[in-house]
Amino acid sequence: MSTDISHQLQQQIQHALEQTTALRIVGGNSKSFYGHVVTGEVLDISGHQGVISYEPTELVITARAGTPLTEIEKLLDDNGQMLPFEPPAFGDNATIGGTIACNLSGPRRAYAGAARDFLLGCKIINGKGEILSFGGEVMKIVAGYDVSRLMAGAQGTLGVLLDVSLKVLPKAEKETTQTIQCSPADALEKIHTWSQTPLPVSASSFHDSMLHIRFSGAEKAVNAAINTIGGESRENGENYWYQLKEQQLDFFTEKKPLWRLSLASDIQSFATATDDKNWLYEWGGALRWLKSDAPAEVIQNAAAEIDGHATLFRHPDKQPLFQPLSPGLLRIHKNLQQAFDPKNILKPGMLYPDL
């Protein structure tokens, strides 16, 4: 059945290629807010679903792109395993294809790796209507380009994901969350100090004078970590990290422009700094959420000056805005587009107007 769907998708792309018709790829639509609005004929991949193979002892799962993320996470949980990058869903309809296409990762990302790091292989339909397979189902060092990981973050602009193979990991024996009240500077110092020790840190966040640290691992290691850093144990810590990754905390509910900043984790000040309550730190300080009405060019220029980048992640009135590309990076993007989608039919303008 899914083979028929993949062929139908291929035929639709080939027809769009002949007519030079733009396509708007739709799965669960849970992340439709992320990226510029694309107009075009709908290419619905939601029916292309199902787990193709899963062997818990091999720590690998292969699934069709339209498979609900909840289905995959339940299957893994039933076997004591998980997706190590702790992906945000932003809705019950999230699919594994959209998860990988957006390359969004949750609180565990800084300590386990990003979605891209666990993508072993994939099958796609490119903008020429060709079905191509890249990578495999094992972690290995290969010569040449790792095209499968190139699809993570491309948001479907280089190819429509059909199948993905992902590395999975066992769940920790014990997991607990400690809280410490401190200043932003003290929070960054503590996190950096702890990162140089064998403490089993699996997540960190700081907001409104409160530092949250999650430990995951063997019971003895977690207990030793608690004794080392002190603080207070948070009840329902699992729920806190879930609400953080799904942006359900009070910090995210205000209808104000939300910026996603990627900076060096030791940066303590920002040119457009506002009230500390408008900031939330994750990933040891490398990911920072900012609520601000400042002009986009002001925030993005300030980020660029310290070798970071800023994305207008959510806005009640405007479309998201990605950090402008340098001439060199823009040229690379255009060359990739020429190779995978020469007639620019796959979500044109999704990331940048020139692409």
Side-chain angles (χ1 to χ4, degrees):
M1 179 64 177
S2 286
T3 301
D4 294 337
I5 294 176
S6 64
H7 287 155
Q8 291 172 8
L9 295 172
Q10 182 183 27
Q11 290 172 0
Q12 187 175 350
I13 292 175
Q14 290 172 340
H15 179 72
L17 181 65
E18 293 172 358
Q19 303 297 320
T20 319
T21 302
L23 292 174
R24 182 165 60 91
I25 306 167
V26 176
N29 228 27
S30 62
K31 300 173 184 64
S32 58
F33 67 89
Y34 189 55
H36 295 98
V37 174
V38 176
T39 57
E41 181 181 326
V42 172
L43 184 72
D44 187 356
I45 62 98
S46 61
H48 184 64
Q49 57 180 263
V51 174
I52 298 172
S53 64
Y54 172 50
E55 179 48 60
T57 59
E58 298 296 328
L59 299 176
V60 174
I61 188 169
T62 300
R64 299 181 178 92
T67 308
L69 180 61
T70 53
E71 180 181 323
I72 289 177
E73 290 182 324
K74 183 181 186 307
L75 176 61
L76 294 176
D77 187 63
D78 289 344
N79 288 275
Q81 297 179 345
M82 64 179 180
L83 294 172
F85 51 97
E86 203 169 4
F90 298 130
D92 295 336
N93 296 326
T95 63
I96 191 61
T99 297
I100 296 303
C102 291
N103 193 40
L104 296 178
S105 304
R108 206 179 299 269
R109 183 258 183 269
Y111 309 95
R116 177 182 290 113
D117 300 323
F118 293 93
L119 180 59
L120 302 177
C122 65
K123 180 186 291 186
I124 70 166
I125 309 176
N126 65 10
K128 303 175 186 178
E130 302 168 329
I131 295 181
L132 306 172
S133 295
F134 302 101
E137 296 186 353
V138 295
M139 298 289 285
K140 60 182 178 181
I141 299 175
V142 296
Y145 299 108
D146 191 346
V147 177
S148 58
R149 295 187 181 185
L150 186 64
M151 297 298 143
Q155 293 185 239
T157 59
L158 298 179
V160 179
L161 286 170
L162 290 177
D163 309 335
V164 295
S165 293
L166 297 165
K167 177 78 171 179
V168 302
L169 290 179
K171 301 186 75 173
E173 178 183 340
K174 181 176 181 178
E175 202 161 77
T176 190
T177 298
Q178 298 295 110
T179 61
I180 300 174
Q181 190 167 9
C182 58
S183 67
D186 287 341
L188 290 176
E189 182 179 353
K190 290 178 184 296
I191 293 171
H192 290 140
T193 299
W194 296 333
S195 69
Q196 300 173 34
T197 70
L199 295 175
V201 178
S202 64
S204 63
S205 76
F206 176 82
H207 171 61
D208 197 16
S209 301
M210 191 62 68
L211 174 64
H212 287 76
I213 296 291
R214 184 177 66 190
F215 297 114
S216 305
E219 184 172 2
K220 288 185 178 179
V222 171
N223 291 339
I226 294 173
N227 292 332
T228 298
I229 74 161
E232 296 185 6
S233 295
R234 178 175 179 126
E235 293 184 8
N236 300 320
E238 183 178 356
N239 187 54
Y240 169 80
W241 297 108
Y242 175 83
Q243 290 184 318
L244 174 60
K245 79 181 181 74
E246 298 299 335
Q247 297 190 344
Q248 297 175 357
L249 296 176
D250 290 343
F251 174 85
F252 297 103
T253 58
E254 183 181 358
K255 291 185 178 180
K256 195 172 184 179
L258 178 66
W259 287 87
R260 183 180 191 269
L261 280 70
S262 178
L263 309 172
S265 61
D266 58 352
I267 296 292
Q268 293 194 10
S269 62
F270 191 71
T272 62
T274 58
D275 189 307
D276 286 343
K277 290 187 177 181
N278 288 325
W279 289 93
L280 188 149
Y281 297 4
E282 282 195 76
W283 303 357
L287 172 63
R288 305 190 191 185
W289 299 99
L290 168 64
K291 295 183 293 187
S292 175
D293 290 312
E297 60 270 18
V298 172
I299 293 179
Q300 291 182 326
N301 288 342
E305 287 176 1
I306 52 177
D307 296 324
H309 61 81
T311 297
L312 181 55
F313 196 75
R314 291 182 189 265
H315 194 293
D317 302 313
K318 297 180 181 179
Q319 298 180 25
L321 186 66
F322 296 95
Q323 183 82 25
L325 297 173
S326 66
L329 284 176
L330 181 59
R331 185 169 58 253
I332 291 174
H333 276 251
K334 287 185 175 180
N335 288 342
L336 286 170
Q337 185 182 69
Q338 182 61 33
F340 285 91
D341 182 22
K343 288 194 176 182
N344 196 19
I345 63 171
L346 299 178
K347 304 174 76 172
M350 175 71 177
L351 300 176
Y352 296 95
D354 295 335
L355 295 173

